[in-house]
Amino acid sequence: MNKKNTLNIIPVILCGGSGTRLWPLSRSGFPKQFLVLSGTTSLFQQAVERINGLASAEIAVGATLVVTNEEHRFLALDQLREMKAVSATLLLEPVGKNTAPALTLAALQATDNGDDPILVVTPADQTVMDSAAFTQALQNSICVADTGAIVILGITPDKPETGYGYIRRQGEVGRHGEYAVAQFAEKPNPEMAEKYLESGDYLWNSGMFVLKASTWLKALKHFRSDIAEATQQSWTGKATDAQFVRPNSGDFALIASDSIDYAVAEKCPNSPFAIKMVPLDAGWNDLGAWDAVWQVGLQDSNGNVTQGDTLTVDTCNTLIHASSRLVSTVGVNNLIVVETADAVLVADRNQSQHVKKLVSALEAQERTEHRLPRKVHRPWGWYDSIDESERFKVKRIQVKPGASLSLQKHYHRTEHWIVVKGTAEVTCGDQTFMLTENQSTYIPLGEVHRLHNPGTIPLEIIEVQSGSYLGEDDIMRFEDHYGR
């Protein structure tokens, strides 16, 4: 295929979920798409890699569009920076409005310069075992989308699953393996799921779509003109800051919340908008619960999936994830055991989808464990609160090379800093000085201060806070490189 016939695609990664069913590893401040559940890359990075991997002589892949929320922008940016070959723009939602407005932001960005690329749209928190089969299905979908159709990937079912919506196909298979979509079906009861599986015409709804940007904008205007107009209004008032694009927050708040499926896809059969389904049989899983993580994990001879420092005796069909210490089991079967520094989950594997009830209970009790893990990531690095009691807190802090904390002061606490690795540039009042390993300094209460890493390796310090109030909101920022 010569250059003029090359199909131009844009990867669109929908990265707004919270993943409460994978608590305690997943938190609202560090959701599941950013987790590394196996291997060395996160689910988000795997999604980006899969779509960028479609590049070929026939398919040109443009800059990736990541739709995420303001809170997670630096998590996404940091993980993208680890992917040297990927160019990306982050579209930041000030508040979650579901997937239809999210895709609309991506379509508006993709057509901003007059182009009309094919958007390959995927959630950020899925896993695929067979990369070759995935690539083939997406290539087929791109060819179908080039005709103007909306294409959805349908997962070939291998069991009567009640946790997914279904797509019913009809008619003969097309040139690129596509089928016409007859209807969408809601999550079924067990009896109906059995019938769906037996019929062979029902596939799981993957949430992955392939379509031209103009096709989405036209279909949305046809079916939900209110969302189309409100999102366009918010986009008109957008602000751009390096890789970040922010729609107008006031206008965005007025957009109706709806999914791609409800707003458009389910209304397409028997409408002016053609919708096709391409089957995908590639070991797909949306990792909606810990049991799903066990299913796709590497099981030993006893059916156990383990991660981290674990020791098992007479243990079968169990998932154990150890984050910070040895986790051992004796004589158990069919369990989920997930250990983190500040919370441990033990659950029957068959009940793991109900972990979200625990998260709801934590919220109801106004606890903090559902929001952030003990190790908290910041745009400049991270901190880990390793000990605390009345009137004191101890943190381990790492600052990236070249990064700085904000110029700040505290009203209720003093701080002692001890450098354990790297070099620190410290601003304290009207003084700026350097500290190296095994050197320390004291930040008096109310003193303006800043920590900067001028070196080429990560800076690590131990911080000891002391005072009457040690909350993270005891801070006044005077200057911040990250716009906080």
Side-chain angles (χ1 to χ4, degrees), residues 259-291:
S259 67
I260 296 170
D261 296 70
Y262 287 160
V264 171
E266 294 187 3
K267 300 173 181 176
C268 286
N270 304 312
S271 84
F273 295 90
I275 185 164
K276 305 291 184 178
M277 187 273 298
V278 170
L280 174 63
D281 188 2
W284 172 93
N285 199 302
D286 75 341
L287 299 179
W290 279 114
D291 179 55

PDB file of all heavy atoms in Angstrom, residues 259-291:
ATOM      1  N   SER A 259     -22.353   7.148  29.046  1.00  0.00           N
ATOM      2  CA  SER A 259     -21.334   6.277  28.460  1.00  0.00           C
ATOM      3  C   SER A 259     -21.438   6.285  26.938  1.00  0.00           C
ATOM      4  O   SER A 259     -22.466   6.678  26.364  1.00  0.00           O
ATOM      5  CB  SER A 259     -21.496   4.848  28.981  1.00  0.00           C
ATOM      6  OG  SER A 259     -22.712   4.288  28.494  1.00  0.00           O
ATOM      7  N   ILE A 260     -20.374   5.817  26.292  1.00  0.00           N
ATOM      8  CA  ILE A 260     -20.381   5.650  24.842  1.00  0.00           C
ATOM      9  C   ILE A 260     -21.536   4.732  24.432  1.00  0.00           C
ATOM     10  O   ILE A 260     -22.251   4.992  23.464  1.00  0.00           O
ATOM     11  CB  ILE A 260     -19.035   5.073  24.360  1.00  0.00           C
ATOM     12  CG1 ILE A 260     -17.894   6.058  24.641  1.00  0.00           C
ATOM     13  CG2 ILE A 260     -19.096   4.721  22.871  1.00  0.00           C
ATOM     14  CD1 ILE A 260     -16.517   5.467  24.425  1.00  0.00           C
ATOM     15  N   ASP A 261     -21.722   3.660  25.183  1.00  0.00           N
ATOM     16  CA  ASP A 261     -22.753   2.673  24.859  1.00  0.00           C
ATOM     17  C   ASP A 261     -24.149   3.279  24.916  1.00  0.00           C
ATOM     18  O   ASP A 261     -24.936   3.176  23.967  1.00  0.00           O
ATOM     19  CB  ASP A 261     -22.668   1.483  25.816  1.00  0.00           C
ATOM     20  CG  ASP A 261     -21.368   0.726  25.680  1.00  0.00           C
ATOM     21  OD1 ASP A 261     -20.330   1.279  26.069  1.00  0.00           O
ATOM     22  OD2 ASP A 261     -21.391  -0.412  25.188  1.00  0.00           O
ATOM     23  N   TYR A 262     -24.479   3.892  26.051  1.00  0.00           N
ATOM     24  CA  TYR A 262     -25.833   4.415  26.220  1.00  0.00           C
ATOM     25  C   TYR A 262     -26.098   5.632  25.338  1.00  0.00           C
ATOM     26  O   TYR A 262     -27.194   5.793  24.807  1.00  0.00           O
ATOM     27  CB  TYR A 262     -26.078   4.777  27.685  1.00  0.00           C
ATOM     28  CG  TYR A 262     -26.239   3.592  28.605  1.00  0.00           C
ATOM     29  CD1 TYR A 262     -26.051   3.721  29.977  1.00  0.00           C
ATOM     30  CD2 TYR A 262     -26.606   2.346  28.110  1.00  0.00           C
ATOM     31  CE1 TYR A 262     -26.205   2.644  30.830  1.00  0.00           C
ATOM     32  CE2 TYR A 262     -26.758   1.258  28.958  1.00  0.00           C
ATOM     33  CZ  TYR A 262     -26.563   1.409  30.317  1.00  0.00           C
ATOM     34  OH  TYR A 262     -26.720   0.342  31.158  1.00  0.00           O
ATOM     35  N   ALA A 263     -25.099   6.499  25.205  1.00  0.00           N
ATOM     36  CA  ALA A 263     -25.305   7.731  24.443  1.00  0.00           C
ATOM     37  C   ALA A 263     -25.449   7.468  22.955  1.00  0.00           C
ATOM     38  O   ALA A 263     -26.272   8.100  22.277  1.00  0.00           O
ATOM     39  CB  ALA A 263     -24.153   8.701  24.699  1.00  0.00           C
ATOM     40  N   VAL A 264     -24.650   6.526  22.426  1.00  0.00           N
ATOM     41  CA  VAL A 264     -24.607   6.341  20.971  1.00  0.00           C
ATOM     42  C   VAL A 264     -24.718   4.882  20.547  1.00  0.00           C
ATOM     43  O   VAL A 264     -25.609   4.519  19.767  1.00  0.00           O
ATOM     44  CB  VAL A 264     -23.310   6.955  20.388  1.00  0.00           C
ATOM     45  CG1 VAL A 264     -23.139   6.595  18.915  1.00  0.00           C
ATOM     46  CG2 VAL A 264     -23.319   8.468  20.554  1.00  0.00           C
ATOM     47  N   ALA A 265     -23.802   4.026  21.012  1.00  0.00           N
ATOM     48  CA  ALA A 265     -23.643   2.691  20.413  1.00  0.00           C
ATOM     49  C   ALA A 265     -24.929   1.874  20.415  1.00  0.00           C
ATOM     50  O   ALA A 265     -25.297   1.251  19.404  1.00  0.00           O
ATOM     51  CB  ALA A 265     -22.532   1.933  21.134  1.00  0.00           C
ATOM     52  N   GLU A 266     -25.639   1.858  21.543  1.00  0.00           N
ATOM     53  CA  GLU A 266     -26.839   1.028  21.630  1.00  0.00           C
ATOM     54  C   GLU A 266     -27.979   1.546  20.753  1.00  0.00           C
ATOM     55  O   GLU A 266     -28.930   0.822  20.480  1.00  0.00           O
ATOM     56  CB  GLU A 266     -27.296   0.926  23.084  1.00  0.00           C
ATOM     57  CG  GLU A 266     -26.307   0.174  23.961  1.00  0.00           C
ATOM     58  CD  GLU A 266     -26.830  -0.072  25.361  1.00  0.00           C
ATOM     59  OE1 GLU A 266     -27.989   0.296  25.645  1.00  0.00           O
ATOM     60  OE2 GLU A 266     -26.085  -0.651  26.170  1.00  0.00           O
ATOM     61  N   LYS A 267     -27.886   2.801  20.301  1.00  0.00           N
ATOM     62  CA  LYS A 267     -28.927   3.392  19.461  1.00  0.00           C
ATOM     63  C   LYS A 267     -28.632   3.243  17.968  1.00  0.00           C
ATOM     64  O   LYS A 267     -29.473   3.595  17.134  1.00  0.00           O
ATOM     65  CB  LYS A 267     -29.089   4.868  19.816  1.00  0.00           C
ATOM     66  CG  LYS A 267     -29.485   5.104  21.271  1.00  0.00           C
ATOM     67  CD  LYS A 267     -29.462   6.583  21.626  1.00  0.00           C
ATOM     68  CE  LYS A 267     -29.825   6.803  23.091  1.00  0.00           C
ATOM     69  NZ  LYS A 267     -29.721   8.238  23.474  1.00  0.00           N
ATOM     70  N   CYS A 268     -27.450   2.732  17.636  1.00  0.00           N
ATOM     71  CA  CYS A 268     -27.039   2.667  16.237  1.00  0.00           C
ATOM     72  C   CYS A 268     -27.739   1.608  15.403  1.00  0.00           C
ATOM     73  O   CYS A 268     -28.032   1.852  14.220  1.00  0.00           O
ATOM     74  CB  CYS A 268     -25.520   2.480  16.146  1.00  0.00           C
ATOM     75  SG  CYS A 268     -24.593   3.982  16.535  1.00  0.00           S
ATOM     76  N   PRO A 269     -28.012   0.387  15.939  1.00  0.00           N
ATOM     77  CA  PRO A 269     -28.730  -0.580  15.101  1.00  0.00           C
ATOM     78  C   PRO A 269     -30.052   0.012  14.590  1.00  0.00           C
ATOM     79  O   PRO A 269     -30.780   0.659  15.341  1.00  0.00           O
ATOM     80  CB  PRO A 269     -28.968  -1.758  16.062  1.00  0.00           C
ATOM     81  CG  PRO A 269     -27.842  -1.664  17.052  1.00  0.00           C
ATOM     82  CD  PRO A 269     -27.630  -0.182  17.244  1.00  0.00           C
ATOM     83  N   ASN A 270     -30.311  -0.178  13.317  1.00  0.00           N
ATOM     84  CA  ASN A 270     -31.525   0.354  12.676  1.00  0.00           C
ATOM     85  C   ASN A 270     -31.553   1.888  12.675  1.00  0.00           C
ATOM     86  O   ASN A 270     -32.622   2.505  12.795  1.00  0.00           O
ATOM     87  CB  ASN A 270     -32.782  -0.199  13.354  1.00  0.00           C
ATOM     88  CG  ASN A 270     -32.826  -1.712  13.364  1.00  0.00           C
ATOM     89  OD1 ASN A 270     -32.590  -2.358  12.340  1.00  0.00           O
ATOM     90  ND2 ASN A 270     -33.108  -2.283  14.530  1.00  0.00           N
ATOM     91  N   SER A 271     -30.384   2.479  12.566  1.00  0.00           N
ATOM     92  CA  SER A 271     -30.272   3.938  12.495  1.00  0.00           C
ATOM     93  C   SER A 271     -29.432   4.294  11.270  1.00  0.00           C
ATOM     94  O   SER A 271     -28.886   3.412  10.597  1.00  0.00           O
ATOM     95  CB  SER A 271     -29.613   4.481  13.762  1.00  0.00           C
ATOM     96  OG  SER A 271     -28.204   4.419  13.654  1.00  0.00           O
ATOM     97  N   PRO A 272     -29.257   5.585  10.984  1.00  0.00           N
ATOM     98  CA  PRO A 272     -28.384   5.960   9.851  1.00  0.00           C
ATOM     99  C   PRO A 272     -26.914   5.647  10.083  1.00  0.00           C
ATOM    100  O   PRO A 272     -26.111   5.749   9.139  1.00  0.00           O
ATOM    101  CB  PRO A 272     -28.595   7.480   9.750  1.00  0.00           C
ATOM    102  CG  PRO A 272     -29.891   7.763  10.436  1.00  0.00           C
ATOM    103  CD  PRO A 272     -29.979   6.752  11.529  1.00  0.00           C
ATOM    104  N   PHE A 273     -26.550   5.252  11.295  1.00  0.00           N
ATOM    105  CA  PHE A 273     -25.144   5.023  11.613  1.00  0.00           C
ATOM    106  C   PHE A 273     -24.862   3.523  11.705  1.00  0.00           C
ATOM    107  O   PHE A 273     -25.401   2.827  12.568  1.00  0.00           O
ATOM    108  CB  PHE A 273     -24.770   5.717  12.924  1.00  0.00           C
ATOM    109  CG  PHE A 273     -24.853   7.217  12.840  1.00  0.00           C
ATOM    110  CD1 PHE A 273     -26.029   7.874  13.143  1.00  0.00           C
ATOM    111  CD2 PHE A 273     -23.764   7.959  12.396  1.00  0.00           C
ATOM    112  CE1 PHE A 273     -26.123   9.261  13.047  1.00  0.00           C
ATOM    113  CE2 PHE A 273     -23.844   9.336  12.284  1.00  0.00           C
ATOM    114  CZ  PHE A 273     -25.030   9.992  12.611  1.00  0.00           C
ATOM    115  N   ALA A 274     -24.020   3.046  10.790  1.00  0.00           N
ATOM    116  CA  ALA A 274     -23.680   1.623  10.774  1.00  0.00           C
ATOM    117  C   ALA A 274     -22.789   1.284  11.960  1.00  0.00           C
ATOM    118  O   ALA A 274     -21.835   2.005  12.261  1.00  0.00           O
ATOM    119  CB  ALA A 274     -22.954   1.281   9.474  1.00  0.00           C
ATOM    120  N   ILE A 275     -23.110   0.189  12.632  1.00  0.00           N
ATOM    121  CA  ILE A 275     -22.268  -0.288  13.720  1.00  0.00           C
ATOM    122  C   ILE A 275     -21.945  -1.750  13.480  1.00  0.00           C
ATOM    123  O   ILE A 275     -22.831  -2.565  13.210  1.00  0.00           O
ATOM    124  CB  ILE A 275     -22.915  -0.065  15.111  1.00  0.00           C
ATOM    125  CG1 ILE A 275     -21.939  -0.482  16.214  1.00  0.00           C
ATOM    126  CG2 ILE A 275     -24.259  -0.785  15.240  1.00  0.00           C
ATOM    127  CD1 ILE A 275     -22.308   0.041  17.596  1.00  0.00           C
ATOM    128  N   LYS A 276     -20.659  -2.062  13.545  1.00  0.00           N
ATOM    129  CA  LYS A 276     -20.173  -3.413  13.282  1.00  0.00           C
ATOM    130  C   LYS A 276     -19.428  -3.942  14.503  1.00  0.00           C
ATOM    131  O   LYS A 276     -18.946  -3.175  15.341  1.00  0.00           O
ATOM    132  CB  LYS A 276     -19.232  -3.418  12.072  1.00  0.00           C
ATOM    133  CG  LYS A 276     -19.830  -2.820  10.800  1.00  0.00           C
ATOM    134  CD  LYS A 276     -20.941  -3.683  10.227  1.00  0.00           C
ATOM    135  CE  LYS A 276     -21.447  -3.110   8.903  1.00  0.00           C
ATOM    136  NZ  LYS A 276     -22.511  -3.957   8.303  1.00  0.00           N
ATOM    137  N   MET A 277     -19.329  -5.263  14.563  1.00  0.00           N
ATOM    138  CA  MET A 277     -18.609  -5.903  15.649  1.00  0.00           C
ATOM    139  C   MET A 277     -17.551  -6.835  15.074  1.00  0.00           C
ATOM    140  O   MET A 277     -17.841  -7.645  14.193  1.00  0.00           O
ATOM    141  CB  MET A 277     -19.570  -6.683  16.553  1.00  0.00           C
ATOM    142  CG  MET A 277     -18.947  -7.252  17.817  1.00  0.00           C
ATOM    143  SD  MET A 277     -18.224  -8.883  17.539  1.00  0.00           S
ATOM    144  CE  MET A 277     -19.666  -9.814  17.077  1.00  0.00           C
ATOM    145  N   VAL A 278     -16.313  -6.680  15.546  1.00  0.00           N
ATOM    146  CA  VAL A 278     -15.232  -7.587  15.156  1.00  0.00           C
ATOM    147  C   VAL A 278     -14.899  -8.456  16.365  1.00  0.00           C
ATOM    148  O   VAL A 278     -14.607  -7.941  17.452  1.00  0.00           O
ATOM    149  CB  VAL A 278     -13.978  -6.802  14.702  1.00  0.00           C
ATOM    150  CG1 VAL A 278     -12.785  -7.738  14.529  1.00  0.00           C
ATOM    151  CG2 VAL A 278     -14.272  -6.064  13.400  1.00  0.00           C
ATOM    152  N   PRO A 279     -14.959  -9.793  16.216  1.00  0.00           N
ATOM    153  CA  PRO A 279     -14.665 -10.670  17.351  1.00  0.00           C
ATOM    154  C   PRO A 279     -13.192 -10.583  17.758  1.00  0.00           C
ATOM    155  O   PRO A 279     -12.306 -10.421  16.914  1.00  0.00           O
ATOM    156  CB  PRO A 279     -14.993 -12.070  16.823  1.00  0.00           C
ATOM    157  CG  PRO A 279     -15.884 -11.845  15.637  1.00  0.00           C
ATOM    158  CD  PRO A 279     -15.429 -10.554  15.043  1.00  0.00           C
ATOM    159  N   LEU A 280     -12.956 -10.695  19.054  1.00  0.00           N
ATOM    160  CA  LEU A 280     -11.600 -10.693  19.602  1.00  0.00           C
ATOM    161  C   LEU A 280     -11.454 -11.886  20.532  1.00  0.00           C
ATOM    162  O   LEU A 280     -12.156 -11.989  21.542  1.00  0.00           O
ATOM    163  CB  LEU A 280     -11.333  -9.395  20.377  1.00  0.00           C
ATOM    164  CG  LEU A 280      -9.997  -9.321  21.124  1.00  0.00           C
ATOM    165  CD1 LEU A 280      -8.826  -9.390  20.155  1.00  0.00           C
ATOM    166  CD2 LEU A 280      -9.913  -8.053  21.966  1.00  0.00           C
ATOM    167  N   ASP A 281     -10.587 -12.796  20.174  1.00  0.00           N
ATOM    168  CA  ASP A 281     -10.282 -13.962  21.001  1.00  0.00           C
ATOM    169  C   ASP A 281      -8.788 -13.927  21.293  1.00  0.00           C
ATOM    170  O   ASP A 281      -7.986 -14.513  20.580  1.00  0.00           O
ATOM    171  CB  ASP A 281     -10.672 -15.247  20.268  1.00  0.00           C
ATOM    172  CG  ASP A 281     -10.561 -16.488  21.159  1.00  0.00           C
ATOM    173  OD1 ASP A 281     -10.215 -16.335  22.344  1.00  0.00           O
ATOM    174  OD2 ASP A 281     -10.820 -17.598  20.655  1.00  0.00           O
ATOM    175  N   ALA A 282      -8.405 -13.181  22.342  1.00  0.00           N
ATOM    176  CA  ALA A 282      -6.985 -12.909  22.581  1.00  0.00           C
ATOM    177  C   ALA A 282      -6.632 -12.958  24.064  1.00  0.00           C
ATOM    178  O   ALA A 282      -5.706 -12.289  24.500  1.00  0.00           O
ATOM    179  CB  ALA A 282      -6.613 -11.541  22.003  1.00  0.00           C
ATOM    180  N   GLY A 283      -7.378 -13.733  24.832  1.00  0.00           N
ATOM    181  CA  GLY A 283      -7.095 -13.801  26.261  1.00  0.00           C
ATOM    182  C   GLY A 283      -7.365 -12.488  26.969  1.00  0.00           C
ATOM    183  O   GLY A 283      -6.618 -12.072  27.857  1.00  0.00           O
ATOM    184  N   TRP A 284      -8.455 -11.818  26.571  1.00  0.00           N
ATOM    185  CA  TRP A 284      -8.829 -10.509  27.136  1.00  0.00           C
ATOM    186  C   TRP A 284      -9.418 -10.657  28.523  1.00  0.00           C
ATOM    187  O   TRP A 284     -10.140 -11.615  28.819  1.00  0.00           O
ATOM    188  CB  TRP A 284      -9.844  -9.856  26.199  1.00  0.00           C
ATOM    189  CG  TRP A 284     -10.476  -8.589  26.716  1.00  0.00           C
ATOM    190  CD1 TRP A 284     -10.058  -7.320  26.489  1.00  0.00           C
ATOM    191  CD2 TRP A 284     -11.667  -8.474  27.507  1.00  0.00           C
ATOM    192  NE1 TRP A 284     -10.907  -6.410  27.089  1.00  0.00           N
ATOM    193  CE2 TRP A 284     -11.902  -7.102  27.732  1.00  0.00           C
ATOM    194  CE3 TRP A 284     -12.551  -9.399  28.065  1.00  0.00           C
ATOM    195  CZ2 TRP A 284     -12.981  -6.640  28.472  1.00  0.00           C
ATOM    196  CZ3 TRP A 284     -13.625  -8.942  28.809  1.00  0.00           C
ATOM    197  CH2 TRP A 284     -13.828  -7.572  29.002  1.00  0.00           C
ATOM    198  N   ASN A 285      -9.138  -9.691  29.379  1.00  0.00           N
ATOM    199  CA  ASN A 285      -9.765  -9.643  30.703  1.00  0.00           C
ATOM    200  C   ASN A 285      -9.775  -8.203  31.167  1.00  0.00           C
ATOM    201  O   ASN A 285      -8.787  -7.478  30.986  1.00  0.00           O
ATOM    202  CB  ASN A 285      -8.995 -10.521  31.695  1.00  0.00           C
ATOM    203  CG  ASN A 285      -9.824 -10.882  32.917  1.00  0.00           C
ATOM    204  OD1 ASN A 285     -10.311 -10.015  33.636  1.00  0.00           O
ATOM    205  ND2 ASN A 285      -9.979 -12.182  33.148  1.00  0.00           N
ATOM    206  N   ASP A 286     -10.873  -7.773  31.759  1.00  0.00           N
ATOM    207  CA  ASP A 286     -10.949  -6.389  32.230  1.00  0.00           C
ATOM    208  C   ASP A 286     -10.506  -6.247  33.682  1.00  0.00           C
ATOM    209  O   ASP A 286     -10.546  -5.145  34.235  1.00  0.00           O
ATOM    210  CB  ASP A 286     -12.354  -5.820  32.052  1.00  0.00           C
ATOM    211  CG  ASP A 286     -13.347  -6.348  33.073  1.00  0.00           C
ATOM    212  OD1 ASP A 286     -13.084  -7.406  33.687  1.00  0.00           O
ATOM    213  OD2 ASP A 286     -14.399  -5.697  33.268  1.00  0.00           O
ATOM    214  N   LEU A 287     -10.054  -7.355  34.281  1.00  0.00           N
ATOM    215  CA  LEU A 287      -9.517  -7.344  35.644  1.00  0.00           C
ATOM    216  C   LEU A 287     -10.447  -6.590  36.595  1.00  0.00           C
ATOM    217  O   LEU A 287     -10.032  -5.730  37.368  1.00  0.00           O
ATOM    218  CB  LEU A 287      -8.118  -6.726  35.659  1.00  0.00           C
ATOM    219  CG  LEU A 287      -7.060  -7.455  34.820  1.00  0.00           C
ATOM    220  CD1 LEU A 287      -5.730  -6.733  34.893  1.00  0.00           C
ATOM    221  CD2 LEU A 287      -6.910  -8.896  35.274  1.00  0.00           C
ATOM    222  N   GLY A 288     -11.720  -6.972  36.539  1.00  0.00           N
ATOM    223  CA  GLY A 288     -12.726  -6.303  37.359  1.00  0.00           C
ATOM    224  C   GLY A 288     -12.766  -6.744  38.794  1.00  0.00           C
ATOM    225  O   GLY A 288     -13.503  -6.167  39.602  1.00  0.00           O
ATOM    226  N   ALA A 289     -12.002  -7.757  39.166  1.00  0.00           N
ATOM    227  CA  ALA A 289     -11.968  -8.235  40.549  1.00  0.00           C
ATOM    228  C   ALA A 289     -10.684  -9.043  40.746  1.00  0.00           C
ATOM    229  O   ALA A 289     -10.024  -9.433  39.786  1.00  0.00           O
ATOM    230  CB  ALA A 289     -13.196  -9.102  40.862  1.00  0.00           C
ATOM    231  N   TRP A 290     -10.329  -9.283  41.995  1.00  0.00           N
ATOM    232  CA  TRP A 290      -9.105 -10.031  42.283  1.00  0.00           C
ATOM    233  C   TRP A 290      -9.147 -11.449  41.710  1.00  0.00           C
ATOM    234  O   TRP A 290      -8.110 -12.011  41.346  1.00  0.00           O
ATOM    235  CB  TRP A 290      -8.856 -10.076  43.789  1.00  0.00           C
ATOM    236  CG  TRP A 290      -8.219  -8.831  44.314  1.00  0.00           C
ATOM    237  CD1 TRP A 290      -8.758  -7.913  45.171  1.00  0.00           C
ATOM    238  CD2 TRP A 290      -6.900  -8.355  44.017  1.00  0.00           C
ATOM    239  NE1 TRP A 290      -7.871  -6.890  45.408  1.00  0.00           N
ATOM    240  CE2 TRP A 290      -6.723  -7.146  44.715  1.00  0.00           C
ATOM    241  CE3 TRP A 290      -5.865  -8.827  43.213  1.00  0.00           C
ATOM    242  CZ2 TRP A 290      -5.541  -6.403  44.644  1.00  0.00           C
ATOM    243  CZ3 TRP A 290      -4.686  -8.086  43.131  1.00  0.00           C
ATOM    244  CH2 TRP A 290      -4.534  -6.895  43.845  1.00  0.00           C
ATOM    245  N   ASP A 291     -10.333 -12.041  41.612  1.00  0.00           N
ATOM    246  CA  ASP A 291     -10.430 -13.368  41.012  1.00  0.00           C
ATOM    247  C   ASP A 291      -9.957 -13.337  39.564  1.00  0.00           C
ATOM    248  O   ASP A 291      -9.314 -14.280  39.089  1.00  0.00           O
ATOM    249  CB  ASP A 291     -11.881 -13.861  41.084  1.00  0.00           C
ATOM    250  CG  ASP A 291     -12.049 -15.226  40.452  1.00  0.00           C
ATOM    251  OD1 ASP A 291     -11.335 -16.164  40.850  1.00  0.00           O
ATOM    252  OD2 ASP A 291     -12.888 -15.368  39.541  1.00  0.00           O
TER     253      ASP A 291
END
